[in-house]
Amino acid sequence: DGEPLVIAAFRATLAAHDGTTLDFETANAVRGFEKKEALRKLLCATRGVDRVKDAEVDAVFKLFKVELDKLTASMKTEITGTSATFADLASRGIKVCVGSGFPDHVVKGIVQNM
């Protein structure tokens, strides 16, 4: 639906964890952080507290990985023009790398379907 994958995953995770409804702005504010740290910040922000227990963050991170897998399982269609773009870059000797805070298996799945 055009929503960034990580935001959809954050929303699904908190909803599954404790029913929290997460707005876009709050989720977007933690993009770019390491995922466990982002989840910690989201738990604090949505509760209005300064700290949450490490055990809860660990549990929520495990749930995040499950929710992320659910969201990426349906990503089987290449983004139009992606193969041609990478082929063109390769033909010019340009190498491309991927940097992501997502787990390796998620990144590999996304790249395979580009």
Side-chain angles (χ1 to χ4, degrees):
D1 67 359
E3 182 171 69
L5 177 62
V6 72
I7 290 178
F10 286 154
R11 286 183 177 193
T13 299
L14 292 187
H17 176 63
D18 63 7
T20 296
T21 301
L22 184 62
D23 63 70
F24 181 88
E25 292 76 22
T26 303
N28 197 47
V30 298
R31 287 177 70 186
F33 282 91
E34 187 273 327
K35 300 305 177 258
K36 263 191 181 179
E37 183 61 20
L39 290 164
R40 179 183 305 279
K41 289 177 177 292
L42 290 173
L43 288 168
C44 289
T46 58
R47 295 176 181 171
V49 299
D50 293 328
R51 292 180 182 212
V52 292
K53 293 182 179 181
D54 289 342
E56 184 179 16
V57 174
D58 290 342
V60 171
F61 181 65
K62 286 180 185 176
L63 184 56
F64 172 78
K65 292 190 286 187
V66 170
E67 294 299 328
L68 188 59
D69 285 346
K70 287 180 194 176
L71 288 166
T72 57
S74 64
M75 297 176 79
K76 302 293 182 208
T77 305
E78 174 182 296
I79 298 168
T80 304
T82 304
S83 290
T85 299
F86 284 114
D88 179 58
L89 292 170
S91 74
R92 292 190 274 152
I94 299 171
K95 296 180 181 181
V96 177
C97 68
V98 176
S100 174
F102 288 130
D104 286 344
H105 75 280
V106 172
V107 174
K108 288 177 185 175
I110 292 169
V111 170
Q112 287 173 344
N113 291 305
M114 291 178 89

